Amino acid sequence: MATESKTAFYITDSGLALADKLRNLYPDIKIVRYSSAAVADSWATERGLIFIMAAGIVVRSIAALIKDKHTDPGVVVLDDKGQFVISLLSGHLGGANGLAAEVAQFLGGKAVITTASDVNNLPALDLWAEKLGLAIDERGQLSHTGTRLLDNGSLNLFTEIQVTLPDAFINTDDPSDADVLITNKKFIASATPPRLYLRPKNLVVGIGCNSGTSADEIESAITNVLDKHNLSFLSVGSLATIDLKASEPGLLDFARKYGLGIITFTPDELNRVPDIEKSEVVFKATGAYSVSEAAARIASGETGEFIVRKQKIGNVTLAVAVENAGPSAVSPSCACPAKMSGKIYVVGTGPGRVEHITPHALDAIGKSQAIVGYGTYLDLITDLIKDKEVISTGMTQEIDRCRAAVELALGGKTVAVVSGGDPGIYAMAGLVLEILRSQENRLGRGTAETTGVAVEVIPGISALNAGASRLGAPLMHDFAVISLSDRLTPWELIEKRLKAAAMADFVIVLYNPKSMGRPDHIDKARAICLRYRSAETPVGIVKAAMRENEKVIISNLRDMLNHDIDMQTTVFIGNSSTFAWNNMMITPRGYTASREQTNDQSIP
Ligand code: SAH
């Protein structure tokens, strides 16, 4: 899709600006001012026509050109804010559905697709996979496969386990014919890329190791054996071992790193497994005649089968068995307690509008079943979360919000905890991790009952990045970030840090500069800075960066209080060499007297 020839037609200036933006998605796109003659010229030669204007104009100008769905190009229409991207003509064969979806995703708008098969049956592939407990190999492949679904109206699926297929899938026994494969095999030779591989978590790795074996050694032994047998690491659902190894640090670290449960068995249980090679040496050390094979055998259930018999690699012995229990093999609610545990994404949504959210954060929000966050931030992303369970409480109830998120994840859900800006800067990441830590301590560290909740912190553009970009370049040299909120920090400590930063000539970024309860904090901060810096020192005041009501002011230490500073504002106080130029604020990269003669190699 991306390589085929495309033309964008515009009428207004904002249409042209939007078309220019599309160059980042399609570098070769032709951008043409709309005229019916220009449309007629492109009709036969282009594969995708994108119109940034009212749909009525487009319908009138293409009506006489339309022939049939085998030769007509894909036609997509969008409004000049890029909010709605309509697939107007040749949705499947002409590629307009896929094109509309790509453009909408890129612009943060909504694709309007009306071809019946897609509208009725379009499964969100990632959500469907995750609901079945399938891991997605190479997420990048998702959008390609999604586009195929939009282009063809269906997807061919090859599966080695039983699953209930949504209508848009057609089952195939031939892997070479499949768009999507559900298999624990790393590659199936006849199914060359690009394909979407989904991984059932149906492999059990039975494992034994000497005391003190490191997590790295365990990991490399497992990957080694899986690679050799063409098995995907993502299909490993659990580890099984003898109870003696339940608190082996390397094994626990490895399991925690990948969110795997460890199932343990007593020597008696292991010794009851028939048809297993017995080792006297192992028996002397552990009381069981076999650890890895026997443990894998029991943990894989009644119908489990060996795929890899016992292997010894360095300090590790392991065996791999597969659970063959049909649909329940991929059900997230199977016997192992760790598999019940879900995932928490702690997501930063940036300073304001959707285009400042990273694609990775959008992806995490898309994958989450529940969204937890503060109302104002959620208001900025309403479109992204409208089909989800949303838990939103007031600003002062962060702890309750994080607890709710952890509870949901412990119940097996994928949850996004959403903060504005970056989630690790005066936001929720720390709280989520602290609550998880105390949960884990409660459950007892070093047992198989650790929470098993996987956490991923996804960064966002913080107010300091957003504000600095609006001001020019105030943060080119060392800076200190200080929050003036004394809700969780004693004011004396805040004053101490202000003094230290002012004295050491850091550029100072002030978050939470003024609250309803404490309007005088900013006055005090200014007074401290004035003790060490000239009244002419530039001060940047950025309110609501990247939002509708954005306001950017360059002032100085003397006059700064004449401007509106509120809780949506971040204040940037320059260092002794910061200067203002053309309504921008610049802190030189170094302190050398003449910039011309620095020739500084470290400036990229
Ligand atoms: N996690 C957020 C910060 C939360 S603390 C981040 O990384 O940006 C809240 C403070 O952040 C506000 O009082 C304000 O000082 C600053 N802030 C957040 N968003 C802002 C924006 N769009 N423009 C200016 N300042 C902002």
Side-chain angles (χ1 to χ4, degrees):
M1 166 67 55
T3 55
E4 289 171 350
S5 57
K6 293 181 187 56
T7 298
F9 295 97
Y10 69 93
I11 294 179
T12 61
D13 285 350
S14 46
L16 174 59
L18 206 58
D20 270 338
K21 210 165 165 185
L22 288 177
R23 262 195 222 288
N24 294 318
L25 181 64
Y26 307 121
D28 298 329
I29 195 168
K30 295 183 202 83
I31 297 178
V32 177
R33 173 176 277 280
Y34 167 83
S35 70
S36 44
V39 177
D41 280 351
S42 305
W43 191 257
T45 53
E46 298 293 282
R47 280 295 292 154
L49 301 183
I50 300 172
F51 292 85
I52 309 173
M53 63 195 70
I57 305 175
V58 184
V59 172
R60 285 178 213 291
S61 56
I62 66 172
L65 304 168
I66 297 172
K67 262 206 207 95
D68 62 63
K69 67 178 183 181
H70 300 283
T71 54
D72 291 333
V75 176
V76 164
V77 184
L78 54 152
D79 61 284
D80 67 9
K81 287 211 172 77
Q83 284 175 322
F84 296 99
V85 186
I86 308 168
S87 165
L88 190 69
L89 188 76
S90 288
H92 290 151
L93 293 177
N97 287 353
L99 183 60
E102 257 177 15
V103 170
Q105 186 179 4
F106 176 72
L107 296 175
K110 193 154 186 47
V112 181
I113 311 277
T114 53
T115 36
S117 58
D118 307 319
V119 173
N120 298 332
N121 307 321
L122 180 75
L125 274 178
D126 47 352
L127 293 183
W128 174 73
E130 263 152 34
K131 212 155 112 195
L132 290 175
L134 301 168
I136 297 165
D137 212 332
E138 291 203 41
R139 295 202 74 85
Q141 193 54 43
L142 269 176
S143 65
H144 175 85
T145 310
T147 307
R148 260 187 94 76
L149 174 59
L150 287 169
D151 285 346
N152 299 341
S154 65
L155 285 174
N156 290 344
L157 176 116
F158 169 84
T159 178
E160 289 179 345
I161 59 163
Q162 289 174 36
V163 283
T164 326
L165 297 188
D167 292 347
F169 283 111
I170 298 166
N171 222 332
T172 172
D173 292 336
D174 177 4
S176 65
D177 199 28
D179 301 301
V180 180
L181 298 102
I182 303 180
T183 174
N184 57 29
K185 298 195 183 54
K186 204 162 176 190
F187 285 111
I188 297 182
S190 58
T192 47
R195 320 265 175 165
L196 179 66
Y197 276 87
L198 301 175
R199 306 303 188 180
K201 294 253 170 211
N202 60 359
L203 299 180
V204 179
V205 176
I207 188 158
C209 62
N210 292 328
S211 300
T213 307
S214 71
D216 284 350
E217 185 175 347
I218 290 170
E219 180 168 344
S220 93
I222 293 178
T223 43
N224 202 312
V225 165
L226 293 177
D227 279 354
K228 217 161 71 200
H229 292 83
N230 189 32
L231 293 167
S232 166
F233 186 82
L234 290 176
S235 276
V236 176
S238 53
L239 306 172
T241 188
I242 188 167
D243 54 8
L244 192 73
K245 292 287 165 194
S247 25
E248 182 66 38
L251 193 57
L252 287 173
D253 284 350
F254 168 72
R256 195 167 299 126
K257 180 170 172 193
Y258 293 103
L260 297 171
I262 305 177
I263 309 169
T264 58
F265 301 101
T266 62
D268 279 352
E269 286 171 314
L270 296 171
N271 289 338
R272 280 200 289 274
V273 180
D275 306 326
I276 300 270
E277 190 194 332
K278 293 186 172 169
S279 156
E280 286 297 334
V281 182
V282 175
F283 179 73
K284 281 210 184 93
T286 66
Y289 285 101
S290 156
V291 172
S292 58
E293 279 202 350
R297 186 69 195 76
I298 318 177
S300 60
E302 293 277 292
T303 52
E305 283 172 285
F306 279 117
I307 302 194
V308 183
R309 299 299 292 236
K310 183 172 127 182
Q311 310 276 310
K312 184 158 173 43
I313 302 179
N315 290 303
V316 182
T317 48
L318 51 92
V320 184
V322 62
E323 298 168 350
N324 275 336
S328 68
V330 295
S331 153
S333 57
C334 64
C336 165
K339 283 189 190 169
M340 267 303 287
S341 294
K343 170 142 195 177
I344 301 181
Y345 293 105
V346 190
V347 182
T349 53
R353 284 194 297 264
V354 172
E355 64 259 36
H356 296 292
I357 305 181
T358 67
H360 189 43
L362 285 177
D363 189 45
I365 291 171
K367 282 189 309 202
S368 298
Q369 295 148 300
I371 309 291
V372 177
Y374 172 55
T376 309
Y377 296 135
L378 298 183
D379 289 348
L380 295 163
I381 55 165
T382 38
D383 273 0
L384 302 175
I385 61 176
K386 55 177 177 286
D387 302 330
K388 323 226 174 219
E389 182 180 344
V390 174
I391 293 150
S392 156
T393 52
M395 186 55 145
T396 51
Q397 288 153 312
E398 284 133 351
I399 297 185
D400 292 343
R401 265 183 277 151
C402 291
R403 285 220 177 93
V406 170
E407 286 302 318
L408 287 167
L410 285 169
K413 288 210 164 137
T414 302
V415 187
V417 177
V418 172
S419 298
D422 182 272
I425 298 182
Y426 307 122
M428 310 254 266
L431 258 182
V432 170
L433 295 179
E434 280 180 51
I435 289 169
L436 267 176
R437 186 180 71 154
S438 63
Q439 282 278 0
E440 207 154 279
N441 285 344
R442 202 166 53 75
L443 287 170
R445 249 180 118 76
T447 73
E449 291 174 344
T450 49
T451 64
V453 171
V455 188
E456 186 178 348
V457 180
I458 299 176
I461 297 175
S462 186
L464 73 88
N465 305 108
S469 72
R470 289 304 197 233
L471 290 167
L475 303 182
M476 290 299 294
H477 213 284
D478 303 337
F479 60 93
V481 183
I482 299 175
S483 163
L484 296 190
S485 163
D486 63 352
R487 199 158 62 78
L488 302 165
T489 311
W491 178 249
E492 297 69 41
L493 182 59
I494 298 173
E495 274 196 329
K496 192 165 143 188
R497 289 184 179 159
L498 283 166
K499 262 184 223 152
M503 196 185 314
D505 202 27
F506 283 103
V507 175
I508 298 175
V509 184
L510 300 176
Y511 278 61
N512 300 306
K514 203 179 212 174
S515 62
M516 292 299 200
R518 305 288 172 104
D520 57 334
H521 283 181
I522 188 72
D523 310 15
K524 291 183 177 162
R526 169 179 170 269
I528 292 172
C529 290
L530 274 171
R531 280 190 233 156
Y532 303 93
R533 292 180 200 184
S534 118
E536 301 304 319
T537 306
V539 172
I541 301 169
V542 183
K543 177 173 171 172
M546 277 90 183
R547 297 186 191 160
E548 296 289 322
N549 53 331
E550 177 182 285
K551 202 165 160 195
V552 181
I553 285 165
I554 309 251
S555 177
N556 54 34
L557 271 179
R558 189 184 47 240
D559 300 329
M560 61 180 274
L561 295 181
N562 300 334
H563 302 280
D564 182 24
I565 295 178
D566 63 8
M567 283 307 273
Q568 278 195 70
T569 307
T570 301
V571 177
F572 295 72
I573 300 174
N575 69 13
S576 58
S577 43
T578 303
F579 58 93
W581 171 75
N582 265 359
N583 214 23
M584 282 188 286
M585 182 171 167
I586 303 163
T587 302
R589 170 75 173 82
Y591 278 92
T592 328
S594 158
R595 300 291 305 153
E596 279 71 28
Q597 68 189 28
T598 55
N599 203 8
D600 185 341
Q601 293 299 315
S602 70
I603 297 176

Coordinates of all heavy atoms in Angstrom, one line a residue, residues 122 209 395 604:
L122 N -15.3 -6.9 11.5 CA -13.9 -6.5 11.7 C -13.5 -6.7 13.1 O -14.0 -6.0 14.0 CB -13.8 -5.0 11.4 CG -12.4 -4.4 11.6 CD1 -11.5 -4.9 10.4 CD2 -12.5 -2.9 11.6
C209 N 18.0 -27.0 38.0 CA 19.3 -26.3 37.9 C 20.0 -26.4 39.2 O 19.5 -26.7 40.3 CB 19.1 -24.9 37.5 SG 18.2 -23.9 38.7
M395 N -8.6 14.2 41.4 CA -7.2 14.4 41.4 C -6.5 13.8 42.6 O -5.4 13.3 42.6 CB -6.9 15.9 41.3 CG -5.5 16.2 41.1 SD -4.7 15.4 39.7 CE -3.6 16.6 39.1
P604 N 25.4 17.9 18.3 CA 25.1 17.0 17.2 C 24.6 17.8 16.0 O 24.2 18.9 16.1 CB 24.0 16.1 17.7 CG 23.5 16.7 19.0 CD 24.4 17.8 19.4

